[in-house]
C-alpha cells in the first residue's frame, strides 16, 4: 500500500493537509507523526483516526530512531511539524532551532536512510524578511528577521545541503499567512474572535498598519497535493494569495462580524521587539502548474469566526492555564499577531 507521512499533522495546517490527502489519495496509508505540543489537538484529526483512515504516531521529529521507523516505506513525507509562533520565538528561541532546524535535519536524514521517494517541506514567506514593495520570488535572497523565521531559513539551508550532496527528492513550499478553523488562538484571527466572544478588547500591536497576505488552509492543502504530483524536485514554490490586509483591517472585519464598532473594542499596545512591516510573495511558479486560490478571506471569515465561537470550549485551557502546566501563560496571552 502506498504510504504518506505528515509530520505536525495534528496541528492547524497539517490537519487540513491530512483531510485533503485522505480524500485525494483514498488508497494510501496516512500516518500522522506529531509530538502533540500545545498547538496540536487530537480533535483536529479525530475523524481520520476513529475511521481508521489515518494512524497517529505520537513522537518528536528530533528522535532519529523513531523518525526512521515512521518514514520507512513512505512514498511521500509532508514535513509540517514546527514551532510556529513568532512571538514565542522571542522568548524561547532555542526550542525553535531544535524543532525547526534539527527536527528538519533529522527527518531529512531519516528519509535518506529509508529511501523516501518525495519530501514536501513546509516553509514560510517570512524567510524573505520584510518586503516593503512588490513581492519576493523564489530567487530572492533570504533575510530572516526573527528567531522563528531564522530557524525556518536554517532548515532550508540544511535542505539545500542535502539536495546538492545526496540529490534528495525535496520540494520546498513557502506559504504566506494561512487562515481557517483549528488554528491555535495565539494567531490573530482566532485570538480576536475569542477575545470578543469573552467580552474583552482586541490588543493590537503598534499602529496596526502592518500588512499580511491571507490564504485559506484548504487552498494551501490543494497546493501541497499538486506539488506531491507535479512539483519539480529541488524546486522552491511560493504559495500565496493576493488577499492583503492590515492588522487593523482584520480587527475591523472581526469586530463587524460581532456587530461592534472598531473604535469601541480596539486596544493599541506596544509592538514586539521587531515586527516586519509587510510580507509579500510572487506565486507565479505554482500558478503556472494550474494552482490558484479558490477562496477569499472576506467570504470565509464569518464562518471561521463562527467556528471559533462554537468551539470555545477547546480553548478554555488558554485562559484557565490548566492544560500546559509550566508554560508561560502570560506570554501566551500577549497581543495577537498574524504571523506564522
Ligand atoms: N500558520 C501559518 O500561517 C503558516 C504559514 C506559512 C508556513 N507555515 C508553516 O506551516 C507549518 C505548520 O504550521 P501550523 O500553523 O499548522 O503550526 P501549528 O503550530 O498549528 O502546528 C505545528 C504542529 O507541529 C507539531 N510539532 C511541534 N514540534 C514538534 C516536534 N518536535 N515533533 C513532532 N511534532 C511537533 C505540533 O504538535 C503541532 O501539531 C509550520 O512548518 C509553519 O512554519 C505556517
Amino acid at each position: 500500500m502506498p504510504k504518506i507521512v505528515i509530520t505536525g499533522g495534528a496541528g492547524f495546517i497539517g490537519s487540513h493537509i491530512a483531510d485533503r490527502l485522505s480524500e485525494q489519495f483514498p488508497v494510501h496509508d496516512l500516518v500522522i507523526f506529531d509530538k502533540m505540543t500545545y498547538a496540536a489537538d487530537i480533535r483536529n484529526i479525530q475523524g481520520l483516526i476513529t475511521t481508521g483512515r489515518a494512524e497517529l504516531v505520537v513522537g518528536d521529529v528530533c528522535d532519529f530512531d523513531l523518525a526512521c521507523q515512521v518514514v520507512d516505506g513512505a512514498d511521500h513525507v509532508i514535513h509540517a511539524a514546527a514551532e510556529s509562533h513568532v512571538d514565542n520565538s522571542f522568548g524561547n528561541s532555542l526550542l525553535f532551532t531544535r524543532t525547526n532546524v534539527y527536527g528538519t535535519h533529522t527527518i531529512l536524514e531519516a528519509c535518506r536512510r529509508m529511501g523516501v521517494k518525495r519530501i514536501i517541506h513546509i516553509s514560510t514567506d517570512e524567510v524573505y524578511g520584510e518586503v516593503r514593495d512588490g513581492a519576493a520570488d523564489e530567487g530572492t535572497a533570504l533575510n530572516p528577521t526573527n528567531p522563528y523565521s531564522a530557524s525556518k531559513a536554517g532548515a532550508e539551508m540544511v535542505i539545500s545541503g542535502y539536495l546538492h550532496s545526496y540529490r534528495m527528492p525535496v520540494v520546498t513550499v513557502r506559504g504566506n499567512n494561512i487562515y481557517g478553523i483549528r488554528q491555535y488562538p495565539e494567531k490573530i484571527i482566532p485570538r480576536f474572535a475569542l477575545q470578543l466572544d469573552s467580552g474583552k478588547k482586541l490588543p493590537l500591536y503598534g499602529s496596526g498598519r502592518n500588512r499580511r497576505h491571507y490564504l485559506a488552509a484548504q487552498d494551501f492543502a490543494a497546493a501541497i497535493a499538486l506539488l506531491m504530483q507535479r512539483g519539480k524536485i529541488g524546486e522552491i514554490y511560493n504559495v500565496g494569495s493576493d488577499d492583503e490586509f492590515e492588522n487593523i483591517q482584520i480587527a475591523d472585519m472581526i469586530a463587524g462580524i460581532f456587530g461592534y464598532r472598531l473604535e469601541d473594542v480596539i486596544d493599541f499596545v506596544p509592538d514586539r521587539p521587531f515586527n516586519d512591516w509587510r510580507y509579500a510573495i510572487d506565486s507565479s511558479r505554482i500558478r503556472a502548474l494550474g494552482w490558484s486560490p479558490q477562496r477569499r478571506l472576506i467570504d470565509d471569515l464569518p464562518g471561521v469566526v463562527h467556528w471559533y465561537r462554537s468551539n470555545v470550549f477547546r480553548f478554555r485551557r488558554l485562559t484557565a492555564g490548566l492544560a500546559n502546566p509550566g508554560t508561560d501563560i502570560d506570554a501566551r496571552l500577549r497581543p495577537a499577531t498574524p504571523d506564522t
Side-chain angles (χ1 to χ4, degrees):
M1 195 80 86
K3 173 175 165 183
I4 302 171
V5 174
I6 306 171
T7 73
F12 166 51
I13 293 175
S15 67
H16 284 276
I17 293 173
D19 284 344
R20 171 75 192 213
L21 301 187
S22 161
E23 278 174 26
Q24 189 160 337
F25 302 98
V27 300
H28 285 58
D29 280 341
L30 279 185
V31 178
I32 291 168
F33 181 26
D34 199 301
K35 192 179 172 187
M36 303 304 290
T37 70
Y38 74 93
D41 195 317
I42 189 69
R43 286 165 290 202
N44 291 345
I45 50 170
Q46 201 149 25
L48 296 174
I49 301 297
T50 52
T51 56
R53 185 63 196 91
E55 178 192 352
L56 172 64
V57 178
V58 177
D60 192 331
V61 291
C62 299
D63 179 340
F64 179 66
D65 291 338
L66 181 59
C68 286
Q69 285 176 42
V70 173
V71 304
D72 190 13
D75 300 272
H76 297 271
V77 171
I78 318 299
H79 181 43
E83 286 295 333
S84 70
H85 192 45
V86 176
D87 281 11
N88 293 346
S89 79
F90 289 111
N92 191 1
S93 57
L94 296 181
L95 176 63
F96 281 67
T97 297
R98 179 188 181 276
T99 298
N100 299 355
V101 184
Y102 184 70
T104 300
H105 192 164
T106 306
I107 288 292
L108 269 181
E109 180 59 18
C111 289
R112 187 178 79 83
R113 292 273 184 98
M114 296 299 152
V116 171
K117 296 194 184 114
R118 181 174 287 232
I119 301 138
I120 309 281
H121 172 69
I122 315 288
S123 190
T124 169
D125 63 351
E126 297 197 29
V127 295
Y128 296 117
E130 190 167 82
V131 180
R132 287 247 163 197
D133 301 302
D137 66 22
E138 291 86 348
T140 302
L142 304 193
N143 184 27
T145 58
N146 60 58
Y148 162 73
S149 54
S151 70
K152 297 295 288 186
E156 289 202 30
M157 292 302 107
V158 178
I159 289 169
S160 176
Y162 268 62
L163 279 169
H164 288 89
S165 301
Y166 304 117
R167 300 188 185 282
M168 285 286 287
V170 186
V171 175
T172 296
V173 180
R174 295 179 182 149
N176 68 202
N177 272 30
I178 312 296
Y179 72 85
I181 64 171
R182 306 180 197 145
Q183 190 170 33
Y184 191 76
E186 57 200 352
K187 315 275 178 17
I188 191 166
I189 291 174
R191 180 73 200 283
F192 280 5
L194 294 181
Q195 285 283 117
L196 290 183
D197 191 71
S198 60
K200 298 191 185 110
K201 288 197 165 192
L202 302 182
L204 202 59
Y205 274 142
S207 67
R209 299 282 173 201
N210 297 55
R211 310 176 71 89
R212 302 290 185 261
H213 288 76
Y214 290 84
L215 176 71
Q218 298 95 321
D219 283 331
F220 188 71
I224 301 304
L226 175 70
L227 294 175
M228 285 169 64
Q229 296 174 305
R230 297 190 48 208
K232 193 173 158 202
I233 296 298
E235 198 73 280
I236 295 166
Y237 292 87
N238 286 343
V239 175
S241 75
D242 299 323
D243 260 0
E244 183 174 13
F245 296 98
E246 295 176 343
N247 296 350
I248 199 164
Q249 292 176 303
I250 299 289
D252 191 27
M253 287 192 283
I254 295 176
I257 291 168
F258 279 80
Y260 296 131
R261 291 186 317 171
L262 181 65
E263 54 270 35
D264 294 335
V265 293
I266 208 76
D267 187 14
F268 290 102
V269 297
D271 210 343
R272 65 190 188 202
F274 186 81
N275 197 354
D276 288 317
W277 185 249
R278 176 177 182 263
Y279 299 121
I281 48 177
D282 176 340
S283 305
S284 313
R285 185 174 283 169
I286 188 167
R287 283 174 188 252
L289 297 180
W291 175 89
S292 63
Q294 301 300 303
R295 310 181 72 101
R296 302 288 311 274
L297 180 66
I298 193 86
D299 302 322
D300 284 348
L301 197 54
V304 168
V305 167
H306 176 73
W307 185 89
Y308 286 103
R309 298 188 78 181
S310 311
N311 284 272
V312 72
F313 59 89
R314 283 189 179 209
F315 306 111
R316 287 223 174 91
R317 64 188 189 187
L318 186 65
T319 44
L322 295 175
N324 297 302
T327 58
D328 179 357
I329 298 298
D330 288 339
R332 291 164 56 210
L333 292 175
R334 276 188 298 237
T337 62
D339 298 328
T340 51

